[in-house]
Amino acid sequence: MATVELRFSALPEHVRTARLVAAAVARRAGVDEAVLDEVRLAVGEACTRAVGLHLSNGVDAPVRVALTEEEKKFSIEIGDESPTSAALAPGAPGGDEESEAEGEDEMGLAVIKGLVDDVEVTTSETGGVIRMSWPTSPDSLVP
């Protein structure tokens, strides 16, 4: 199992880099070419969400991205360290400002869930993680 880890400052301009790295590693892992756009879009959406949570909550920690190549699947985990992740979980109480942020967050998560069949979102008091995976094909491995 090979893993590439990426950490970047919570700045919008770094999201594009994360998308490009994810697509390159996914291609190398054997993810079907037809799915690479979905990988890019899902990673961009998840990283944008994490950057937004960090910026809106004054979190200085970097956004974490782990890209893992396993035998028959390629997985990506995008983690944030914003305590607001737990507050944005479905059904959490919130005021008007929090409701607006929750709406934007739900829209981003809906986009990700529409792009990725295997997705899991977890939140806690210390942040959140979005886990996504795609099947790989040994025939399409890049040497």
Side-chain angles (χ1 to χ4, degrees):
M1 172 171 40
T3 300
V4 173
E5 291 188 25
L6 175 66
R7 293 176 183 265
F8 62 90
S9 300
L11 298 170
E13 54 266 27
H14 296 310
V15 171
R16 182 171 188 261
T17 302
R19 286 181 20 212
L20 293 171
V21 170
V25 175
R27 178 178 287 119
R28 179 129 175 93
V31 172
D32 190 286
E33 282 289 323
V35 180
L36 291 178
D37 280 340
E38 294 172 10
V39 172
R40 270 190 286 274
L41 288 169
V43 168
E45 204 58 51
C47 287
T48 297
R49 175 186 180 271
V51 167
L53 288 170
H54 278 220
L55 292 176
S56 65
N57 291 290
V59 176
D60 291 332
V63 172
R64 302 175 321 277
V65 180
L67 309 142
T68 305
E69 177 185 347
E70 298 176 46
E71 189 174 327
K72 294 183 180 180
K73 73 176 184 176
F74 172 68
S75 303
I76 300 176
E77 287 188 9
I78 295 155
D80 67 76
E81 293 188 23
S82 174
T84 306
S85 294
L88 292 176
D96 290 339
E97 194 172 300
E98 288 177 359
S99 294
E100 184 178 324
E102 182 178 339
E104 290 174 14
D105 187 62
E106 285 180 16
M107 178 67 88
L109 291 174
V111 169
I112 293 168
K113 289 177 182 178
L115 291 168
V116 185
D117 291 334
D118 184 16
V119 63
E120 176 187 350
V121 180
T122 57
T123 58
S124 71
E125 294 299 319
T126 58
V129 175
I130 296 176
R131 290 180 185 86
M132 305 173 281
S133 67
W134 294 266
T136 58
S137 168
D139 305 345
S140 60
L141 290 176
V142 176

